[in-house]
Amino acid sequence: MITEEIRRLKEENNAVILAHYYVDGQVQEAADYVGDSFYLAKMAAKTDKQTIVFCGVRFMGESAKILNPDRCVLLPDESADCPMAHMATEEQILRLRKEVPDLAVVCYINSSAKLKSLSDVCVTSSNAVKIVGALPNKNILFIPDANLGGYVQKQFPEKKFYFSGGYCPVHAVLLEEDILSEKQAHPQAQFLVHPEACKEVCALADFTGSTSEIIEYAQKSAAQEFILGTEPGVLYELEKRCPGKRFYPVTPVCEDMKRITMEKLLACLREKKYEVIMDKQLMNAARRPLERMLELAK
Ligand code: 13P
Ligand code: SF4
């Protein structure tokens, strides 16, 4: 059976399998650790396994490699990439650094290694507020997600924010009117949303948080029904942790996350593909903002 073969090859290769909540449920089941971006970055930083198989999108595998330059990091599908990771430019960062004094460049982890290398600190959706709050800078350039950046900005009226204008195509398609009609259809349901949704949609939420935070909230809540404003891959964990509760997903699936299948995971372990190969200098430059995130989020 494919699951057993994956387990056997994992042992043989001294590998650890990390998976994001948005990948297929079977792949989550085959993983050693499943979580949100922050949890997975922490697990990647502390593993003692020689090989890290990252079931997620490219920036996740790259972050694992940057934090572990001597380990082998494998991606089951080399084309699985987060479109938002490329929605800021080097020019935007360099220009603003020249124009604005006392500027911190805060880089959502959903970014290319190049963008990270030009930034002061990385953040994820679960630690962005904490980290921005810990920065002494008055001016913040938040790249690339303007929705998450706007959500953070609301907590710090004393800081001035600049944005590069990126967005997540899965969460940014949520519209206020769709949520209002969903609420009408399910009047008892609470609305849980990821901060990659726009501010009008977040304003309708009972809870806004990262994938892990949404799962924890639903588990602890006394409510029995939830409108789910994040990628439906989280249903796999929600159904395990919240038996009997009902969820109404409203976002489309993330096509890139769904590229990771059991067959590709098996091939990845068998053929040791696709290895994340990165330029040493680029990795060195991108490591500091990631390590700073791990320190500041403690
Ligand atoms: P999390 O950090 O909440 O896991 O989010 C990752 C992501 O890609 C959301 O679209
Ligand atoms: Fe990127 Fe959005 Fe997919 Fe997350 S859900 S990986 S932000 S495209």
Side-chain angles (χ1 to χ4, degrees), residues 1-10 266 269-270:
M1 225 175 94
I2 190 161
T3 313
E4 272 136 38
E5 186 61 357
I6 287 172
R7 196 171 304 136
R8 189 187 70 71
L9 286 165
K10 190 184 74 174
L266 178 63
L269 282 159
R270 215 176 241 163

Side-chain angles (χ1 to χ4, degrees), residues 45-289:
K46 69 180 192 198
T47 187
D48 57 358
K49 300 286 185 192
Q50 191 40 43
T51 299
I52 300 169
V53 177
F54 218 120
C55 298
V57 285
R58 175 163 292 276
F59 78 80
M60 297 180 169
E62 284 184 353
S63 300
K65 180 69 183 176
I66 293 164
L67 291 166
N68 292 283
D70 298 327
R71 299 189 201 280
C72 168
V73 178
L74 300 174
L75 295 170
D77 184 315
E78 65 173 347
S79 68
D81 197 3
C82 170
M84 182 163 58
H86 311 280
M87 289 188 190
T89 65
E90 188 171 344
E91 292 68 41
Q92 285 172 315
I93 300 173
L94 299 181
R95 183 174 47 75
L96 222 66
R97 277 207 192 275
K98 269 198 204 141
E99 286 173 8
V100 180
D102 191 27
L103 182 78
V105 181
V106 176
C107 180
Y108 190 24
I109 198 167
N110 297 37
S111 300
S112 67
K114 182 70 196 173
L115 292 175
K116 288 185 176 89
S117 74
L118 299 168
S119 302
D120 296 302
V121 64
C122 288
V123 296
T124 74
S125 57
S126 66
N127 60 34
V129 170
K130 184 171 184 184
I131 290 177
V132 171
L135 297 175
N137 312 71
K138 185 179 174 307
N139 297 313
I140 305 289
L141 169 59
F142 196 102
I143 60 165
D145 189 359
N147 283 339
L148 175 63
Y151 172 77
V152 177
Q153 179 182 29
K154 265 181 66 184
Q155 335 285 324
F156 302 104
E158 72 283 10
K159 293 186 192 269
K160 181 157 173 51
F161 277 67
Y162 300 83
F163 301 104
S164 62
Y167 62 93
C168 159
V170 171
H171 292 88
V173 293
L174 287 178
L175 298 177
E176 202 180 354
E177 59 257 37
D178 299 334
I179 307 305
L180 290 173
S181 66
E182 203 67 27
K183 276 176 174 263
Q184 241 177 4
H186 308 289
Q188 303 303 321
Q190 290 207 346
F191 175 44
L192 315 179
V193 76
H194 197 281
E196 288 174 5
C198 69
K199 64 174 186 301
E200 293 78 12
V201 166
C202 289
L204 297 172
D206 296 285
F207 179 75
T208 305
S210 76
T211 50
S212 296
E213 290 169 335
I214 286 177
I215 292 167
E216 278 157 30
Y217 181 92
Q219 187 176 12
K220 288 188 190 142
S221 169
Q224 295 299 306
E225 292 180 73
F226 304 88
I227 298 162
L228 188 60
T230 193
E231 211 273 354
V234 298
L235 283 170
Y236 187 73
E237 184 71 16
L238 281 169
E239 279 161 8
K240 281 205 284 190
R241 290 212 217 166
C242 313
K245 294 189 179 179
R246 300 178 72 172
F247 296 93
Y248 312 109
V250 286
T251 78
V253 299
C254 173
E255 300 292 347
D256 283 277
M257 288 284 191
K258 297 299 187 257
R259 287 184 206 279
I260 315 298
T261 61
M262 289 294 271
E263 289 71 24
K264 288 179 191 166
L265 174 55
L266 178 63
C268 165
L269 282 159
R270 215 176 241 163
E271 297 162 42
K272 303 197 179 37
K273 66 178 190 185
Y274 298 90
E275 185 170 357
V276 177
I277 308 282
M278 296 172 72
D279 176 77
K280 245 199 170 116
Q281 264 190 322
L282 177 61
M283 283 202 285
N284 289 343
R287 189 169 304 116
R288 182 66 201 133

